[in-house]
Amino acid sequence: MAAPRVAEYVQELFKNSPVEVEVLSNVKVLEKEYPCLAAVNRCVPRHQARVIKLQYRGEGPIQKTLMLVGKGITYDTGGADIKAGGFMAGMHRDKCGAAAVAGFFQVV
């Protein structure tokens, strides 16, 4: 599942829920706001990076803010030159952190 499809999946997952979903996909915005992500975002359009922000605001006054960050790499092209021995193919499984954060929000 490439990044655009992950974004669609997350948007559908939280549709009609108290969790707000914001997806950043504009390459110029990613270059400016997330330069390290942009540096490894050298791929075909169907794999272009997305930053997915989830936000939940409970009822009543906010007394504490908790931020969770989870990396979800679907295909890392930034280090293609140094990933020898077939390790590049396994990079599509490097999304456990992002999946854990999305799962946390689903429980909330």
Side-chain angles (χ1 to χ4, degrees):
M1 188 182 297
R5 178 67 187 107
V6 172
E8 292 170 7
Y9 179 85
V10 170
Q11 288 172 314
E12 183 65 29
L13 182 66
F14 293 109
K15 186 169 55 175
N16 302 319
S17 83
V19 176
E20 297 173 27
V21 179
E22 178 186 1
V23 177
L24 303 176
S25 60
N26 182 292
V27 175
K28 295 295 180 192
V29 171
L30 296 178
E31 288 172 351
K32 182 178 183 224
E33 301 294 326
Y34 303 91
C36 292
L37 173 62
V40 296
N41 189 33
R42 298 181 222 137
C43 53
V44 295
R46 65 189 168 99
H47 288 282
Q48 287 294 312
R50 301 291 189 268
V51 171
I52 303 172
K53 297 181 180 184
L54 304 176
Q55 186 169 30
Y56 172 80
R57 291 186 186 100
E59 294 181 17
I62 297 171
Q63 299 190 7
K64 192 174 195 179
T65 298
L66 175 65
M67 293 187 174
L68 303 172
V69 177
K71 178 181 77 167
I73 303 298
T74 57
Y75 212 78
D76 181 352
T77 59
D81 296 300
I82 60 171
K83 288 184 176 67
F87 292 110
M88 185 65 186
M91 289 303 294
H92 70 281
R93 293 186 294 266
D94 190 13
K95 46 188 165 267
C96 296
V101 171
F104 176 85
F105 273 87
Q106 192 173 19
V107 171
V108 169

